[in-house]
Amino acid sequence: MAEGLAFVRREAVLQRLLMCTSVANFFSVAASSVQVTFMARELHASSTVIGLVFSCAAVGGLLAGAFADRLSNVLGSALIMWVSMLVPGPLYFLMPAAETRRRARPGGAVR
């Protein structure tokens, strides 16, 4: 492990890739935890629906992995790394557009 870390320290490109991936993973995990809370509390989604949402995201990741070699050959590996970081980001701004289902309480009151 020490030899691998020493190699990364010597290569500037690998250092930048490591930092980029570390930051992206950190915020991805943070956003995922917020998404679960948001879907459960605000959208009143069941655990099944929440699981399906994350399963669909996983399928998207599998598809991206399946086509990564082809995309890299067409666009180049450097551009693919930028696109993979930039494309999903703005989708988080769609979260406020989600609508909650208002449930009627006994007596006709809407919550």
Side-chain angles (χ1 to χ4, degrees), residues 86-106:
L86 295 175
V87 168
L91 298 176
Y92 288 106
F93 291 114
L94 294 176
M95 286 177 68
E99 293 184 20
T100 60
R101 281 186 277 151
R102 295 182 180 225
R103 298 180 182 174
R105 290 185 180 171

Side-chain angles (χ1 to χ4, degrees), residues 29-94:
V29 169
S32 294
S33 62
V34 170
Q35 286 172 342
V36 171
T37 304
F38 176 72
M39 287 188 278
R41 290 186 183 172
E42 299 298 322
L43 300 180
H44 308 289
S46 67
S47 57
T48 303
V49 171
I50 295 171
L52 286 172
V53 168
F54 281 95
S55 296
C56 289
V59 169
L62 290 173
L63 288 173
F67 292 105
D69 191 42
R70 292 180 193 168
L71 288 171
S72 179
N73 289 337
V74 172
L75 300 175
S77 58
L79 184 58
I80 289 297
M81 285 187 276
W82 278 104
V83 168
S84 69
M85 294 293 152
L86 295 175
V87 168
L91 298 176
Y92 288 106
F93 291 114
L94 294 176

